[in-house]
Amino acid sequence: MRTSRLLPALALGAALWVVLISAAGALLSGLGWWTPDAAWPVAVALVAVSMWCVRGIPAVRTSAAPAAALLVVVAAFTVWAGATHSEQVFVRRDAASNFQAAVSLAQTGHRVVSIDPADVGGQSVLDDDAVTWGSPAFYAVGSSESPSVQPQFVIGPAVVYSFGWWLGGGVGAMLLPALVMGLSLLALGVLVMRVVGPWWGAVATGLTGVLFPVLHTARATYSEPLAVLTLVGGLLALTLMVGRERDEGAAPSPAVGDRGVGARGGGAQDAAAQDAAAQDAAAQDAVLVRLAAVAGVLVGGTGFVRVDALREAVLLLPALALGAALGRHWVRPLALALGASLTAAAAAALVLSYRYLGDIARSLVPLVALAALVSALCWGALVLWRRGRRLPDRVLARLPNTVAALTVLVGVYLAGRPLWQVTRQDPNDPGALYVAGMQRRSGLTVDGGRTYAEDTVHWLSWYVGPIALVVALVVLAVALRHTTRRVSAGEVPAWLPALVVASGSTLLTLLRPGITPDHPWADRRLLVVLPLVVVLVVVAAAWLTARVRPHERPWLGKGLAGLVVLSLAVPAVLATWPHRSERIERGSLGVAEAVCVELHPGDMVLMVDSRAANEWSQVVRGMCAIPTLAVVTRVRKDPVALAALVERVDAAVTTAGGRLVLLAADSTEALDGLGVPAQPIADIIVREDQHALEAPPRGTDRLPTRVWLGRAREANG
């Protein structure tokens, strides 16, 4: 069996580059220096740094055929997702928010973009409470003297996707998520190769790639492809790190080999371990330290692309405490790298995305409290350990079975919640009002406060099927039992950190997904849960293949393994099939470009109806580089007040040497009421995601996209 360092190095190098370039982008964009002349040299330099950091990492056992199969699966997924990429340009979902933030960053060099009051008619216009320079996902910050626009979310996606804009405009940016998700699947495949076996890496990658939530997010500029890459990369680095230490002979158990639940063959005394032991001790320590640092940077640095990455960082603390108790060398570099990257990501968010943090405080504060609680518990347990306190032998003996039983009970509880529980939130929350509207349109009982969080296991079953969920739960219980037994004996299995983080994140997600239950958009929350289910099913199949081989029926094990794989593959394919070739909002990019062609330097665009204000403000400001304001809701509903406002703004803009242009996207009603000739720019039908609350989406819905421009001077002249 050959070994390969290329596959893990490629996956880890790409993940590390995402974190490092996001950190560099946060710094440079805060200074207004994120320009192609600065960004491209930094990006190239960080490629070199990333590859240097992952040099000499432990290899995974494989051969040419399974390695090639994994690469083929990854390439096929990337091409599929890229060929069917969406064009989410108008800010209706997070993908468009990230896209417009990337465009704004690429065009201006600044994360927070200042507005020159003179460009919109002067400070007096901005002082008028009938207008706003903010829009959905783009906060109005500062004052009328010094106004600015601050994008929602954290900085990482805008930084990474800005390279796509520079390379190929809108299409370039929209193709990048497919490539990033492909690299995420590569990292997952390498992780499964290391823990389960060479061929199973390609199987797990293929099963994950065919899941609709994975494909859906890979088609658009969401943050999830980036977060999955950095998190799975971090878990891969942790697995390689702990496995390398075991190969070097750290605290082996004479009674238990390194096979475990689906682990690869061999132990601390095999030839690879002997070769490793013969190497220079300083070089071995350097590799461990570097791997630990890379793992910490990746797990903590995920916070640059998703703010809720704090959850996975917190879940890593028990593994750190265990390693410290057992005297592992990787604890200090891992803890330092994790803390440093988390601190840097938090600082970037506080400086560049503080309005967003304020909006999500109700979700973020409990997460910070959980971090403090887990930290205190781990620290307390470590102090007691160092004072010689140990669990009684009879408790240790029962602990593995207890953990397994609790795992099954928790799984049954989560699956059964819809039978006795209805989860709710504040009915006045904006998300609750949105849910109420969906319920009304769908003919359901209106109860906007419902979060549908009790249905999360049901959401999973849409995409992997109930049989796969049962198999995954049983394997998880057995794996945790086996892991607990080995930990009780003083061992740290290679898969321990990944298993703890993934299963803990799954539990927290299923308990409280924290997202508006509008599917398929809400299913992005399952992008840690779904790969875990896939890996657990693959572990079951691998175990059956290796162990169930009666003397006269060697085909039985493979046959059972095939059935287990099919129990997931068939529901996954059936759920994805209706969406296999859909192109969400295809044509939107052309509409935006058509509007930009009609606008010229010196224009100032005023959004006069609801869709214009919500969907077009940042498009015109960012993609067209034209100053923009929007009429507030109460004035849009009052034709007399609207006419008076347009007259005031027109006079101010004209006095400042500009031209006022009015934009409508609902209908021509507002322009007609103002007596402004409506110039039609676009009138097409695009397809949007089908909105669903209680069932998986089965197709797409029609979404009319129309735009009219009007010039106030023509009405007055």
Side-chain angles (χ1 to χ4, degrees):
M1 181 71 71
R2 298 179 181 179
T3 61
S4 172
R5 283 191 172 89
L6 176 61
L7 296 180
L10 178 59
L12 292 181
L16 189 58
W17 182 86
V18 167
V19 172
L20 296 180
I21 198 64
S22 296
L27 176 62
L28 294 177
S29 68
L31 298 171
W33 297 348
W34 191 250
T35 63
D37 290 342
W40 281 112
V42 170
V44 172
L46 290 180
V47 169
V49 170
S50 300
M51 298 315 296
W52 181 85
C53 289
V54 300
R55 76 192 192 285
I57 63 173
V60 294
R61 291 186 176 184
T62 186
S63 59
L70 175 60
L71 291 174
V72 167
V73 171
V74 168
F77 173 86
T78 303
V79 171
W80 180 22
T84 56
H85 72 272
S86 72
E87 292 188 6
Q88 298 190 42
V89 174
F90 309 117
V91 182
R92 286 188 285 266
R93 292 297 189 192
D94 294 356
S97 303
N98 288 326
F99 173 75
Q100 291 299 339
V103 172
S104 174
L105 183 60
Q107 296 279 71
T108 67
H110 293 263
R111 168 63 171 180
V112 181
V113 180
S114 299
I115 297 173
D116 186 348
D119 291 339
V120 294
Q123 184 180 340
S124 62
V125 174
L126 296 173
D127 281 329
D128 195 326
D129 62 2
V131 300
T132 178
W133 63 90
S135 59
F138 290 86
Y139 300 104
V141 297
S143 64
S144 60
E145 296 179 358
S146 181
S148 298
V149 174
Q150 183 185 96
Q152 195 181 22
F153 306 126
V154 289
I155 183 70
V159 168
V160 175
Y161 295 143
S162 67
F163 286 101
W165 177 264
W166 286 328
L167 280 172
V171 173
M174 291 167 182
L175 287 175
L176 277 185
L179 176 61
V180 174
M181 189 63 88
L183 291 168
S184 303
L185 294 180
L186 175 64
L188 179 66
V190 174
L191 177 59
V192 175
M193 272 187 171
R194 169 62 181 85
V195 175
V196 185
W199 280 106
W200 295 110
V203 174
T205 300
L207 290 173
T208 305
V210 81
L211 295 170
F212 177 59
V214 175
L215 176 64
H216 183 258
T217 50
R219 286 169 164 170
T221 47
Y222 289 108
S223 61
E224 279 79 8
L226 299 166
V228 172
L229 174 59
T230 55
L231 178 60
V232 176
L235 299 182
L236 172 60
L238 289 167
T239 303
L240 294 174
M241 175 193 72
V242 178
R244 171 61 175 259
E245 188 178 50
R246 283 184 51 76
D247 289 344
E248 290 174 5
S253 172
V256 182
D258 197 31
R259 296 184 184 275
V261 180
R264 64 186 178 98
Q269 303 303 318
D270 63 12
Q274 293 173 10
D275 292 341
Q279 296 176 359
D280 180 74
Q284 295 173 356
D285 287 344
V287 171
L288 275 177
V289 168
R290 194 165 62 248
L291 265 177
V294 168
V297 168
L298 289 178
V299 175
T302 303
F304 279 108
V305 294
R306 281 197 63 81
V307 72
D308 59 2
L310 176 60
R311 177 179 58 197
E312 282 70 36
V314 170
L315 292 168
L316 190 56
L317 295 179
L320 276 170
L322 176 64
L326 298 178
R328 297 298 189 256
H329 296 143
W330 43 262
V331 172
R332 184 179 295 274
L334 176 58
L336 290 174
L338 180 68
S341 57
L342 266 177
T343 301
L350 286 169
V351 173
L352 302 176
S353 307
Y354 59 86
R355 283 290 304 275
Y356 170 56
L357 297 185
D359 278 358
I360 64 169
R362 285 190 297 179
S363 296
L364 193 58
V365 170
L367 189 56
V368 173
L370 176 65
L373 176 62
V374 173
S375 299
L377 291 175
C378 289
W379 179 259
L382 187 58
V383 169
L384 291 175
W385 173 274
R386 288 174 174 171
R387 291 178 179 176
R389 299 289 185 89
R390 301 291 187 272
L391 291 173
D393 289 342
R394 65 177 180 274
V395 174
L396 283 177
R398 295 175 180 174
L399 190 58
N401 289 336
T402 301
V403 169
L406 285 175
T407 301
V408 173
L409 288 175
V410 170
V412 172
Y413 164 77
L414 290 172
R417 283 201 299 171
L419 298 177
W420 66 78
Q421 185 179 33
V422 176
T423 54
R424 289 187 171 87
Q425 63 177 350
D426 181 358
N428 296 316
D429 183 89
L433 298 176
Y434 180 84
V435 169
M438 287 189 64
Q439 291 167 333
R440 194 175 295 110
R441 290 188 295 270
S442 302
L444 302 172
T445 301
V446 176
D447 182 6
R450 286 196 64 182
T451 67
Y452 293 88
E454 71 275 9
D455 289 331
T456 48
V457 174
H458 189 49
W459 299 356
L460 275 178
S461 70
W462 295 345
Y463 302 111
V464 299
I467 297 176
L469 288 180
V470 173
V471 171
L473 179 60
V474 171
V475 174
L476 180 61
V478 172
L480 289 174
R481 177 181 180 275
H482 181 74
T483 302
T484 303
R485 188 172 66 245
R486 293 182 65 170
V487 169
S488 299
E491 296 184 62
V492 182
W495 63 81
L496 172 67
L499 181 63
V500 170
V501 172
S503 56
S505 180
T506 293
L507 174 61
L508 295 175
T509 299
L510 295 179
L511 280 172
R512 186 181 181 277
I515 195 169
T516 304
D518 184 0
H519 303 279
W521 180 66
D523 299 320
R524 297 177 301 139
R525 282 291 189 267
L526 304 178
L527 288 196
V528 173
V529 185
L530 287 168
L532 176 62
V533 172
V534 169
V535 172
L536 292 172
V537 169
V538 165
V539 167
W543 186 88
L544 288 168
T545 300
R547 303 296 176 88
V548 184
R549 288 186 175 179
H551 178 67
E552 296 181 356
R553 291 179 292 176
W555 48 266
L556 181 59
K558 291 183 179 180
L560 291 173
L563 290 175
V564 168
V565 170
L566 287 175
S567 73
L568 189 151
V570 171
V573 171
L574 291 177
T576 302
W577 186 256
H579 311 282
R580 62 194 180 280
S581 60
E582 65 188 20
R583 296 281 306 277
I584 297 300
E585 299 187 33
R586 182 182 183 183
S588 297
L589 190 59
V591 172
E593 292 169 348
V595 170
C596 291
V597 168
E598 296 295 328
L599 299 174
H600 308 285
D603 287 344
M604 199 288 283
V605 180
L606 183 66
M607 307 297 166
V608 295
D609 62 24
S610 177
R611 284 191 67 178
N614 292 334
E615 299 176 11
W616 279 92
S617 292
Q618 186 57 36
V619 173
V620 172
R621 182 185 293 119
M623 297 180 69
C624 307
I626 299 295
T628 303
L629 294 175
V631 182
V632 300
T633 302
R634 62 176 175 80
V635 177
R636 293 198 302 264
K637 295 180 178 179
D638 185 342
V640 175
L642 178 60
L645 171 66
V646 170
E647 185 175 350
R648 294 195 303 272
V649 174
D650 181 41
V653 171
T654 301
T655 300
R659 297 176 299 275
L660 179 62
V661 179
L662 309 179
L663 190 149
D666 279 323
S667 68
T668 61
E669 181 180 351
L671 296 178
D672 293 341
L674 293 167
V676 175
Q679 176 189 357
I681 305 299
D683 185 358
I684 66 171
I685 302 294
V686 301
R687 309 296 303 188
E688 70 167 341
D689 286 316
Q690 190 179 74
H691 301 270
L693 282 171
E694 297 183 330
R698 295 299 184 189
T700 57
D701 293 334
R702 298 170 73 255
L703 179 65
T705 301
R706 306 182 180 95
V707 187
W708 298 268
L709 296 179
R711 297 189 179 273
R713 288 283 103 183
E714 295 180 12
N716 297 333

